[in-house]
Amino acid sequence: MSNMRTKSRLHPGARVRAFREGAGMSLDDLADKIRKAGCDRPSIAKLSRIETGVQPVSLDILDGLSRITAIPPRELRPDVAAIFAREETAA
């Protein structure tokens, strides 16, 4: 199976963790980068819950996390992307 296919099957938090670990960052480092990207600094616990799939990426850090990881927002929050897609097709 290709690496791209494997990535698409991972839940969004697992992709965030893979990025963070690949970049050699701690959760604290990632939280600092999110803050520097213009978002509120998330707690380490919140990032851990996101990475393990317990909690979705919250909208307050979605943009910053997307810019840092280069994971598109629609992939970090497919549920939100689906809402916008339905609205666009209805218009």
Side-chain angles (χ1 to χ4, degrees):
M1 183 181 306
S2 76
N3 191 25
M4 186 59 113
R5 274 186 123 179
T6 302
K7 283 185 180 181
S8 68
R9 290 186 176 176
L10 294 175
H11 66 78
R15 292 187 61 199
V16 171
R17 175 174 280 177
F19 167 84
R20 179 182 60 77
E21 290 177 344
M25 286 192 282
S26 67
L27 286 167
D28 197 47
D29 295 334
L30 182 56
D32 285 341
K33 285 190 175 290
I34 291 169
R35 182 185 51 77
K36 289 176 184 170
C39 301
D40 289 338
R41 186 182 192 280
S43 70
I44 302 307
K46 180 177 187 171
L47 288 176
S48 179
R49 289 190 303 268
I50 289 169
E51 286 188 350
T52 57
V54 171
Q55 174 180 339
V57 175
S58 57
L59 297 179
D60 61 326
I61 66 168
L62 180 62
D63 183 55
L65 187 58
S66 177
R67 284 189 275 140
I68 292 162
T69 62
I71 302 170
R74 69 181 177 279
E75 293 178 19
L76 289 171
R77 283 297 299 265
D79 57 328
V80 174
I83 292 169
F84 287 109
R86 283 194 300 266
E87 288 177 358
E88 287 175 0
T89 58

